[in-house]
Amino acid sequence: MSNQVDTVEFIKDDFEYVGADKISQVDVAYESQPYWKDVLSRLFKNKGAIVGLIFIILIGIMAVIGPNLNDYTYDSQIITEQNLAPRIPGAEKIGIFDGNEKMSTSTGMTKVNGYISADGTETGRENTYYWFGSDVLGRDIFTRVWVGTRISLYIALVAVLIDMLFGLGYGLISGYFGGAVDNAMQRFAEILNGIPNLVIVTLLIIVLKPGLATITFSLMITGWIGMSRIARAQMLKLKEQEFVLASRTLGAKNFFIIFKEILPNIFGQVITNTMFSIPNAIFTEAFLAFIGLGVPQPKASLGSLISDAFKSFTTHPYMIIAPVIVLAILMLSFNMLADGLRDAFDPKMKEM
Amino acid sequence: MKKYLLKRIGVSIVTLLAILLILFCMLEFMPGSPFNDEKLTADQVAVLNAKYGLDKPTIVRFGNYIKNMLTGDFGVSYTISKNTPISTLLQSRLPISIRIGGQAVLLGTLIGLILGIIAALKHNTIWDTLTTIISVLGVSLPSYVFALLLSYSLGFKLKWFPLLYAVDSPLNSSVLPTVALCMFTVATIARFTRTEMLEVLGSDYMLLAESKGISGPQLIIKHALRNALIPIITVLAPLIVGLMTGSLVIEKIFSIPGIGSLLVTAIQSNDYNVIIALSFIYSAMYIGIILVVDILYGVIDPRIRLAKGDGNE
């Protein structure tokens, strides 16, 4: 080595100034980011999650104001205005949503318009508009869809509350105290988990009346198990760590350690898991409604609207389109937001 | 291993007993008695009770109840088809449901695996994105949305397949229900295979296999897929749940005479005996499959056994 160094000859060019832009490396001191800011910035970089969030907000706004946007109410029936296809002011002029409906009759395909009669006679409905059409009982589908969306959003809220209040507490306590407490609590959860959800819901509905309260109750019985498992697993991992020992040495009580020391450390997983349980809960409600165990008439949920429209969906397909699309967008949005949150809280997952 | 096995079987039996107890209590506390004809005197009711064993203590009756349920004696249907034993109702329906469920699992697994492998091999390309979109859609949309889409487009508009299930042409008419039912399986399996394959493809033993000159299908199937597939057993439980709930809706939409549509009809017409019998059958199937899956997993991967069974106490 020393030989080589000796043979190097310095020439004048070696010491020439190359300018500022040729600098190969500069130490940049990044500003330290708080954890939440970091998570949020990762979340906002995820296009899917943002689209999901925007749609959830839009659907939420529509669920609040939607039913009041026209003069119809969700249960008002106008018997003469049954089975009218969607008609939107403005859009009718360019040939879409003009209230025309193709019907296949015995003589072939015919165009039917319930608003304006083909032979020029007065129908009295020239200025009537059903934006999403009207159903077989003459009710406005637009209003019913948004009233139904409220139920789905209520179910989403219930799912979050069950996860947060029940699943989280159950898992944390079971994991923290361990021993006989953990054993008993885990056996109970295991047995409950061994019974299919479907069976629990069906049996509950035999005992109670079908309705929102029953659906809420059945979600409460089974909805928390997944979250409790995650909370318990995280607790088992964290409770032996030094910061817990330190806190205990300083005289912290069990309650303080569980909720002030350990809970903040597992919040990422908790939120992600909660988000994933929302579409599941909405799905459960829509499924129950479809098999006839939903909210009783004349109330509507997205599932019961789809179920009702299904009966006539080959003759009046427009009736089923609106609730299906809203439900699909809602489920997709919650799933995409949950995916984005998972990646934001745990960037390692994204590499996979 | 023995301890783990015994424990798993024990939990399953207790779960089954718990379900039977719940079902028994529901019958027990339901208002009314089987003999509520006003013409019957108290003595006659006592005789009838003795004849049907209803005068025995609750615990004995519970024992009899368990025996009846396990031997397939579910009583008779009240409203769906009056006084027909439920076991005869089930005889023709159970095979249809199992066949359609089986078809959906097989088709779904196959498509899911292919999609997952393609997505992993072509990581971060358009194929990968496409697979992700399909799996997000499959997980987020209820199976009846697919069923309605399929039956409207392929069934009603194009008339490729019949709209309703026909017993005399089971193959042709079960195409749409199978496809609609398998979407959830496709999505779950594709997602899972992709993640696992990516992990395996980046591992040292794959590098070793490649440097030893193995390539092509042998490398992918024998070395990568085989290792990626072990953890796939974990998604079987949610898949089965998805299939069970899905089958109810799918059977209703395509009017398939299976147990799912029977349960829906029973719920809508308050046929308690049928509901209880089907609840028991669904639970027993679920518990049985979960037990097999858990034991299989314990056999294949000893770490699970430790973590789930003996390690945490």
Side-chain angles (χ1 to χ4, degrees):
Chain A
M1 286 300 275
S2 58
N3 285 351
Q4 264 183 344
V5 174
D6 290 340
T7 55
V8 170
E9 269 189 44
F10 295 109
I11 49 172
K12 211 180 171 196
D13 287 359
D14 286 348
F15 302 96
E16 208 168 288
Y17 181 59
V18 292
D21 48 321
K22 291 260 174 80
I23 295 168
S24 62
Q25 198 186 350
V26 178
D27 284 339
V28 181
Y30 289 104
E31 221 176 299
S32 80
Q33 291 255 37
Y35 178 62
W36 282 104
K37 230 176 170 177
D38 222 27
V39 168
L40 282 180
S41 77
R42 274 198 296 265
L43 181 66
F44 285 123
K45 274 188 202 133
N46 187 328
K47 272 181 232 141
I50 292 310
V51 172
L53 188 64
I54 291 171
F55 271 113
I56 292 170
I57 293 171
L58 281 181
I59 290 178
I61 293 172
M62 281 311 284
V64 174
I65 61 166
N68 303 323
L69 285 184
N70 55 24
D71 296 335
Y72 306 107
T73 60
Y74 72 91
D75 56 352
S76 66
Q77 277 175 264
I78 303 173
I79 298 298
T80 50
E81 299 181 359
Q82 293 167 348
N83 303 332
L84 295 177
R87 188 182 187 212
I88 301 175
E92 54 176 337
K93 303 226 165 57
I94 54 171
I96 48 167
F97 298 118
D98 51 1
N100 278 332
E101 191 183 1
K102 280 200 196 105
M103 299 269 268
S104 53
T105 55
S106 50
T107 54
M109 296 293 268
T110 49
K111 226 182 219 183
V112 175
N113 194 325
Y115 300 93
I116 303 159
S117 63
D119 51 7
T121 48
E122 273 284 292
T123 58
R125 290 189 287 276
E126 275 77 12
N127 288 318
T128 309
Y129 292 95
Y130 284 99
W131 299 332
F132 287 174
S134 69
D135 67 4
V136 281
L137 295 173
R139 295 177 294 200
D140 178 37
I141 294 179
F142 182 85
T143 311
R144 287 178 69 74
V145 163
W146 298 119
V147 168
T149 309
R150 286 181 184 174
I151 294 200
S152 293
L153 293 176
Y154 161 80
I155 294 289
L157 192 71
V158 168
V160 170
L161 285 180
I162 292 167
D163 262 1
M164 287 289 183
L165 296 179
F166 214 72
L168 188 61
Y170 195 93
L172 288 178
I173 289 169
S174 177
Y176 182 80
F177 291 104
V181 177
D182 183 43
N183 210 348
M185 286 173 90
Q186 286 311 304
R187 290 302 86 78
F188 177 70
E190 216 166 293
I191 289 172
L192 198 58
N193 201 38
I195 308 174
N197 230 334
L198 174 70
V199 170
I200 294 178
V201 177
T202 334
L203 293 180
L204 258 180
I205 286 173
I206 304 181
V207 182
L208 308 165
K209 271 192 230 102
L212 209 50
T214 311
I215 295 168
T216 310
F217 196 55
S218 67
L219 283 174
M220 268 162 74
I221 291 183
T222 54
W224 52 274
I225 295 175
M227 171 62 96
S228 84
R229 284 194 171 163
I230 285 174
R232 175 172 173 270
Q234 293 297 319
M235 174 59 95
L236 288 178
K237 215 163 75 183
L238 288 181
K239 74 171 181 182
E240 305 295 341
Q241 288 196 3
E242 282 80 4
F243 71 93
V244 178
L245 185 66
S247 182
R248 191 172 293 135
T249 320
L250 289 171
K253 296 277 186 298
N254 288 334
F255 190 82
F256 183 86
I257 293 174
I258 293 177
F259 291 101
K260 290 273 174 174
E261 298 285 358
I262 291 177
L263 187 58
N265 281 296
I266 66 170
F267 228 68
Q269 267 100 350
V270 169
I271 290 182
T272 309
N273 199 56
T274 307
M275 284 306 292
F276 274 111
S277 67
I278 290 177
N280 269 338
I282 295 179
F283 178 85
T284 305
E285 190 279 329
F287 159 75
L288 288 175
F290 194 78
I291 63 170
L293 296 175
V295 290
Q297 293 281 2
K299 290 206 190 82
S301 77
L302 290 176
S304 70
L305 284 172
I306 296 171
S307 172
D308 287 345
F310 165 67
K311 288 165 195 152
S312 56
F313 98 103
T314 47
T315 36
H316 305 292
Y318 66 87
M319 284 183 198
I320 210 163
I321 289 173
V324 162
I325 287 179
V326 173
L327 181 68
I329 290 178
L330 198 61
M331 297 275 289
L332 260 178
S333 303
F334 272 119
N335 266 315
M336 288 198 298
L337 183 60
D339 269 347
L341 272 173
R342 185 189 51 201
D343 293 343
F345 276 116
D346 190 0
K348 274 178 292 177
M349 288 290 290
K350 194 154 188 197
E351 304 300 313
M352 309 279 274
Chain B
M1 184 63 203
K2 213 172 175 184
K3 197 182 161 198
Y4 171 73
L5 208 72
L6 281 177
K7 207 181 125 191
R8 280 299 305 137
I9 294 175
V11 168
S12 301
I13 292 174
V14 172
T15 314
L16 202 62
L17 283 178
I19 291 164
L20 283 169
L21 184 66
I22 296 170
L23 297 177
F24 179 72
C25 289
M26 290 188 59
L27 282 178
E28 194 77 348
F29 295 116
M30 232 172 248
S33 84
F35 317 114
N36 43 9
D37 193 333
E38 282 172 9
K39 288 176 196 153
L40 293 175
T41 63
D43 287 343
Q44 282 170 317
V45 170
V47 170
L48 279 171
N49 274 340
K51 187 189 167 196
Y52 289 103
L54 295 177
D55 55 341
K56 301 220 167 64
T58 317
I59 186 83
V60 176
R61 274 186 292 133
F62 183 50
N64 282 336
Y65 182 74
I66 293 176
K67 205 184 86 202
N68 286 344
M69 291 297 262
L70 291 182
T71 50
D73 179 5
F74 302 117
V76 294
S77 154
Y78 291 141
T79 47
I80 293 179
S81 113
K82 217 165 168 62
N83 289 334
T84 318
I86 293 168
S87 43
T88 36
L89 271 182
L90 293 176
Q91 242 163 29
S92 63
R93 287 167 177 268
L94 205 53
I96 296 178
S97 287
I98 290 176
R99 212 196 63 223
I100 293 195
Q103 283 175 352
V105 170
L106 287 180
L107 186 71
T109 313
L110 194 70
I111 300 175
L113 277 179
I114 293 172
L115 283 179
I117 294 171
I118 291 174
L121 291 180
K122 314 237 173 205
H123 187 39
N124 283 338
T125 61
I126 179 84
W127 297 106
D128 191 14
T129 322
L130 218 63
T131 310
T132 312
I133 292 174
I134 291 177
S135 53
V136 169
L137 279 176
V139 173
S140 340
L141 296 182
S143 48
Y144 59 73
V145 174
F146 289 114
L148 292 171
L149 278 177
L150 285 173
S151 64
Y152 188 71
S153 56
L154 301 185
F156 181 65
K157 284 280 171 197
L158 297 174
K159 299 203 166 45
W160 287 358
F161 300 103
L163 270 183
L164 300 177
Y165 183 82
V167 187
D168 45 320
S169 67
L171 201 67
N172 194 22
S173 57
S174 70
V175 171
L176 292 185
T178 307
V179 173
L181 196 54
C182 82
M183 281 310 288
F184 184 73
T185 316
V186 169
T188 320
I189 301 255
R191 207 175 222 205
F192 201 82
T193 311
R194 176 178 172 271
T195 317
E196 291 297 323
M197 278 291 275
L198 281 178
E199 198 172 324
V200 169
L201 286 177
S203 67
D204 290 342
Y205 60 79
M206 283 303 290
L207 198 65
L208 177 68
E210 218 170 329
S211 56
K212 276 161 76 183
I214 305 166
S215 63
Q218 206 196 351
L219 182 73
I220 299 303
I221 292 173
K222 208 171 168 192
H223 290 261
L225 192 60
R226 237 173 98 175
N227 285 300
L229 277 192
I230 296 174
I232 221 164
I233 302 177
T234 47
V235 292
L236 277 174
L239 274 185
I240 292 156
V241 175
L243 275 179
M244 280 183 175
T245 47
S247 72
L248 260 72
V249 180
I250 299 290
E251 288 188 9
K252 187 190 167 193
I253 289 180
F254 293 100
S255 39
I256 300 169
I259 55 170
S261 54
L262 182 67
L263 181 57
V264 177
T265 325
I267 291 169
Q268 283 163 353
S269 56
N270 282 330
D271 199 331
Y272 291 133
N273 268 353
V274 175
I275 296 176
I276 283 177
L278 286 177
S279 298
F280 175 71
I281 287 174
Y282 271 111
S283 311
M285 282 200 301
Y286 180 72
I287 293 168
I289 293 170
I290 300 291
L291 178 67
V292 171
V293 164
D294 271 3
I295 291 174
L296 257 182
Y297 207 15
V299 172
I300 293 169
D301 193 346
R303 281 171 304 177
I304 302 299
R305 192 158 77 224
L306 291 176
K308 261 195 179 170
D310 316 318
N312 56 2
E313 276 132 337

